[in-house]
Amino acid sequence: MVLFGATGDLARRKLLPGLFRLALAGLMPRAYRVVGTAPASEALTDEEFRERARGAVAEFCSAKPVGEEWEAFERALSFGAADPKDTRPLLDAVRAAERDLGGSPRRLHHLAVPPAAFASVVEELGRTGLANGARVIVEKPFGTDLASARALNDTLHTVFDEERVFRIDHFLGKESVDNILALRFANGLFEPVWNRDHINHVQIDVPEAIGIEGRASFFEQTGTFRDMVVTHLFQVLGFVAMEPPADLGAKALRDEKNKVFQAMRPLDPRRAVRGQYDGYRAEPGVDPRSGTETFIALRAEIDNWRWSGVPFYLRSGKSLAHRRQVVTLHFKEPPLRMFPGAQPPADSCANAIVVDFDDPGWIAARFLVKEPGPSMRLGPARMTFRYADSVRRRHGLEGYERLILDAMLGDQALFTRSDGIERLWEVSAPLLESPGDVLPYPPGSWGPDAVRDLIAPHRWYLPDDIGDSGEGATP
Ligand code: BG6
């Protein structure tokens, strides 16, 4: 495996710890090598790279970098710098690693580099022959608009066939996102009501409490819409909204997801609220007049037989009140109001299925029940399945771990396909062309006030449910 961007934040937080966890779980190949690479200005010796990896695992991995297992993992790491003008150190490191392994090992390149660097790395892989027989994992965001995504796909396809391209979106590797498929398609209970006849609206809500965490240059070029919505939230929407695939193979699953994207209406900028937290412009590296959004909420519509007329409200932002990752399906009210004067409290969120897909995740059915007493008073109740309490998580993998494993095995089912990505940029075009102003919001809030008007007459499930949730709201 060749890890481009090996000195970067993603490698430190997710990739190196994830690879070590895969090694501990016995899920790495019998023999493997990981060659880290970065531009010559950030060159490391093998020993320095191993030391960095040790630091990353100590800080971000649930297992500590000790013992025989760590030593074996560490021995598999080496480093070779690469610049467009001089790729020799990388080629030497790859050759040495392959010599050690013997035979003809399969290559997997992981491009954990900023979007602006993708094309030149891909060309380098083609030119040097490193692409031969290799698979490539490409990080998000894939392009910044339709034209750049198409150009990137063209560049990729000059070197790699689509079958060897793994566009990663780590939300699709989350256990609880995959579980949406099990919930819907392995049970006869939910799917019959999972449609416009019964569902009033859907919310996909991913507020984050963190700010930009020093990623000013990435964030200034990207913003929350590209960083979170065109990628993670739309992919979750695809799982929530798709028709049952014929099987869970890559073709059937991605065909069905892409049909949802085909049926999405182009986004209407009047149905979107962009926000920026107070203080963002003073962050180091941020333009003092920046118009980049750190928050976005919008209404998406899917024009097909299952979803026509059912709005999907999506929201994500930095420096908000809480971190949560929640899909809420709000059901229609029953036609017969036979409980006069017995309405539940206005802020109770009943009549909904809630899927919290943050690790470890839970699913709740929320409904109304009669409160004990002489009169027919209604109160909210819930039934909750919690991953943490209900399922042995010994085999649980984090999003990245699961997806890197799938890429090693050649299974593309949970990776995005070029046509799907291009369609998502196409539906995003109106908003990218006329984004409108960013509205300020105080850090620790739920975004600009206008976000409430966007969803009216409904309400956001969060924050209404935060106070009494008891379901792991993390401050
Ligand atoms: C990343 C985004 O892809 O996902 C970050 O670039 C975001 O801005 C992160 O914070 C959220 O991922 P997770 O694993 O915390 O759910």
Side-chain angles (χ1 to χ4, degrees):
M1 178 168 184
V2 182
L3 183 53
F4 287 81
T7 53
D9 203 47
L10 186 65
R12 191 167 69 94
R13 284 171 189 271
K14 299 276 190 189
L15 306 182
L16 291 164
L19 286 168
F20 181 50
R21 286 227 331 150
L22 286 173
L24 283 178
L27 293 170
M28 289 298 275
R30 193 178 42 77
Y32 65 92
R33 292 289 182 275
V34 179
V35 180
T37 184
S41 56
E42 291 168 35
L44 301 176
T45 63
D46 292 350
E47 201 34 59
E48 284 167 342
F49 182 46
R50 289 175 186 151
E51 212 160 285
R52 266 189 191 233
R54 201 176 308 136
V57 168
E59 194 175 352
F60 294 106
C61 189
S62 51
K64 294 290 148 238
V66 290
E68 277 171 31
E69 277 137 334
W70 169 255
E71 283 161 24
F73 180 76
E74 197 179 47
R75 274 197 301 276
L77 304 180
S78 60
F79 195 91
D83 272 335
K85 282 201 207 94
D86 183 14
T87 47
R88 214 168 8 91
L90 173 60
L91 287 172
D92 290 348
V94 172
R95 278 193 205 113
E98 293 187 345
R99 242 190 341 265
D100 274 3
L101 289 171
S104 43
R106 182 183 283 284
R107 290 179 191 152
L108 175 63
H109 300 293
H110 192 134
L111 272 49
V113 296
F118 286 156
S120 71
V121 173
V122 169
E123 279 156 12
E124 199 171 296
L125 290 174
R127 205 178 50 244
T128 54
L130 283 175
N132 295 348
R135 298 184 182 132
V136 64
I137 300 179
V138 188
E139 278 297 331
K140 56 150 276 266
F142 194 84
T144 51
D145 57 12
L146 179 59
S148 58
R150 275 193 182 140
L152 197 49
N153 275 328
D154 289 348
T155 309
L156 265 173
H157 291 151
T158 55
V159 178
F160 296 95
D161 330 317
E162 182 65 22
E163 287 65 44
R164 295 194 285 141
V165 179
F166 293 73
R167 293 177 198 77
I168 201 164
D169 187 305
H170 76 281
F171 273 41
L172 291 186
K174 286 178 188 262
E175 288 284 354
S176 314
V177 173
D178 271 9
N179 198 37
I180 294 173
L181 299 182
L183 178 78
R184 292 188 55 195
F185 304 133
N187 300 292
L189 184 59
F190 304 107
E191 198 51 25
V193 293
W194 203 274
N195 56 49
R196 65 193 296 269
D197 295 336
H198 301 278
I199 292 176
N200 180 285
H201 66 283
V202 179
Q203 297 178 21
I204 302 177
D205 208 357
V206 183
E208 294 186 280
I210 54 169
I212 56 165
E213 307 282 291
R215 298 193 301 160
S217 76
F218 167 79
F219 214 79
E220 276 285 272
Q221 289 169 37
T222 313
T224 297
F225 178 65
R226 290 183 172 96
D227 183 35
M228 298 296 290
V229 178
V230 189
T231 51
H232 305 319
L233 273 70
F234 280 166
Q235 292 299 327
V236 173
L237 178 147
F239 271 25
V240 171
M242 70 161 76
E243 296 300 315
D247 56 55
L248 292 179
K251 175 161 181 0
L253 196 68
R254 300 197 298 179
D255 280 352
E256 289 308 336
K257 189 152 55 79
N258 288 359
K259 279 190 214 162
V260 173
F261 300 155
Q262 283 302 330
M264 272 172 82
R265 288 210 192 137
L267 298 177
D268 180 348
R270 290 167 306 176
R271 308 261 189 201
V273 175
R274 292 169 72 241
Q276 189 185 72
Y277 64 81
D278 295 331
Y280 172 73
R281 292 177 187 181
E283 299 262 13
V286 170
D287 178 348
R289 287 174 308 160
S290 171
T292 302
E293 79 284 350
T294 59
F295 171 100
I296 183 129
L298 56 86
R299 173 183 162 133
E301 287 172 43
I302 302 167
D303 223 351
N304 64 14
W305 279 57
R306 186 186 284 265
W307 295 114
S308 177
V310 179
F312 282 68
Y313 296 101
L314 276 49
R315 175 172 68 170
S316 186
K318 301 281 190 244
S319 279
L320 296 178
H322 288 277
R323 172 192 167 97
R324 289 289 283 274
Q325 304 193 333
V326 181
V327 177
T328 315
L329 296 107
H330 289 269
F331 285 81
K332 292 185 172 168
E333 297 214 344
L336 188 61
R337 288 193 173 269
M338 55 165 64
F339 301 98
Q343 293 309 309
D347 61 353
S348 73
C349 168
N351 208 8
I353 291 177
V354 187
V355 179
D356 180 302
F357 58 91
D358 202 357
D359 218 19
W362 48 262
I363 299 171
R366 309 204 45 163
F367 46 94
L368 295 172
V369 292
K370 177 184 176 302
E371 287 186 344
S375 61
M376 182 53 94
R377 279 175 58 87
L378 299 179
R382 76 183 74 208
M383 291 190 291
T384 308
F385 154 80
R386 289 170 212 275
Y387 257 94
D389 302 346
S390 316
V391 180
R392 281 198 306 163
R393 290 172 38 79
R394 202 152 41 97
H395 301 297
L397 295 177
E398 277 190 8
Y400 266 106
E401 296 160 11
R402 165 73 195 275
L403 293 174
I404 291 172
L405 176 65
D406 283 359
M408 290 194 289
L409 297 171
D411 183 351
Q412 291 183 304
L414 296 178
F415 293 84
T416 55
R417 208 166 60 190
S418 56
D419 50 346
I421 294 270
E422 288 182 14
R423 174 63 189 161
L424 290 177
W425 283 119
E426 198 170 53
V427 300
S428 303
L431 189 57
L432 294 175
E433 278 154 22
S434 320
D437 295 337
V438 283
L439 306 175
Y441 63 92
S445 70
W446 288 97
D449 288 343
V451 75
R452 281 199 283 273
D453 302 337
L454 177 80
I455 201 168
H458 314 300
R459 308 158 62 99
W460 292 95
Y461 167 75
L462 300 173
D464 290 349
D465 193 57
I466 276 289
D468 73 335
S469 85
E471 276 161 347
T474 38

